[in-house]
Amino acid sequence: MGIQDFISSNNIRLDQQLKFTVEIDKMTAILRRTVLIDKSRRENDAEHSWHIAVMALLFSEYASEAVDVGRAAKMCVVHDLIEIYAGDTFAYDAKANADKAERESAAAGRLFSQLPAEQGAELRSLWEEFDAMQTADAKYAACMDRLQPFLHNTLTDGHTWAESGTCRAAVEQRMAVIRDFMPKVYQWIEKNLDNAIEKGWLKA
């Protein structure tokens, strides 16, 4: 069984939407470096996207600017769809990040073109807005994207940090959007960075 068994609705638009829904199921097979909090296995892209979308419903009171939580949550569920084709790029892998923008732009073109034109354009626009991190909604969504794996690291003995030999400065750079956009949350981050250094999870 698979997409080859799809029965057409005889409605081109509906077929495109249904087939796109099938295609994004592939997110469940894209594994991230982050492990689940129980350390039983690596998290997949679909789990991460769901997790940060729910988080977006919770933390807007700490944002330094007003945000449209609904739009930010949409960005959260859309932001990693392109990894179906581009793969997950580990945040602290400089070499892999060198061609990330090129790979992901090509993947976006391939993926979002499968939808009816205006829906594909809308999702691509949300993805591009998230990636640019210029608007309040995009900054807030980016904060969720960074806060979730950070929280996981604090509860899994710094798993991905220790595994990759990450240093504090690299994490601070990654967390800069939280420092600037959610300063109260960043105070908690600093406490955890100090703890990670003390326990040897991060390089000083």
Side-chain angles (χ1 to χ4, degrees):
M1 297 292 288
I3 192 63
Q4 67 274 10
D5 301 299
F6 176 79
I7 297 173
S8 175
S9 67
N10 294 319
N11 177 319
I12 293 174
R13 179 182 177 85
L14 178 57
D15 282 359
Q16 286 179 311
Q17 293 163 327
L18 289 168
K19 289 179 179 179
F20 181 83
T21 303
V22 172
E23 190 69 0
I24 63 173
D25 179 70
K26 293 176 181 177
M27 281 191 84
T28 61
I30 307 299
L31 296 180
R32 294 166 48 81
R33 294 284 288 273
T34 305
V35 292
L36 300 182
I37 291 170
D38 67 5
K39 295 186 182 180
S40 61
R41 60 175 174 82
R42 289 164 64 187
E43 169 190 62
N44 67 51
D45 263 359
E47 291 166 329
H48 167 70
S49 297
W50 157 80
H51 211 169
I52 67 171
V54 175
M55 289 171 63
L57 307 181
L58 306 179
F59 295 101
S60 62
E61 65 194 90
Y62 304 105
S64 60
E65 299 177 47
V67 297
D68 182 332
V69 171
R71 285 193 79 250
K74 282 183 179 181
M75 288 182 202
C76 288
V77 295
V78 165
H79 83 292
D80 274 347
L81 287 175
I82 48 84
E83 292 187 358
I84 290 169
Y85 303 137
D88 177 62
T89 304
F90 183 48
Y92 302 113
D93 184 339
K95 184 177 179 181
N97 276 275
D99 67 344
K100 178 184 176 186
E102 182 180 311
R103 285 186 289 109
E104 291 192 346
S105 180
R110 178 181 171 191
L111 180 67
F112 297 128
S113 64
Q114 297 176 41
L115 279 168
E118 87 286 356
Q119 287 187 325
E122 179 190 6
L123 295 195
R124 177 155 192 161
S125 178
L126 285 167
W127 171 73
E128 289 176 345
E129 183 179 344
F130 173 90
D131 217 39
M133 263 191 335
Q134 296 298 310
T135 66
D137 295 346
K139 290 174 185 176
Y140 180 60
C143 287
M144 300 303 100
D145 184 44
R146 286 152 175 74
L147 182 59
Q148 186 255 5
F150 184 92
L151 178 58
H152 277 233
N153 267 305
T154 68
L155 300 174
T156 58
D157 303 315
H159 181 271
T160 55
W161 297 333
E163 183 181 65
S164 60
T166 299
C167 66
R168 178 172 183 151
V171 179
E172 288 175 335
Q173 183 178 6
R174 179 79 177 158
M175 298 296 119
V177 65
I178 300 178
R179 180 196 65 215
D180 298 338
F181 198 75
M182 304 180 76
K184 288 184 179 179
V185 176
Y186 195 76
Q187 292 173 10
W188 171 83
I189 284 174
E190 285 186 309
K191 290 180 181 180
N192 281 278
L193 288 172
D194 291 341
N195 184 61
I197 292 291
E198 182 181 330
K199 292 186 174 175
W201 303 341
L202 276 175
K203 293 180 178 179

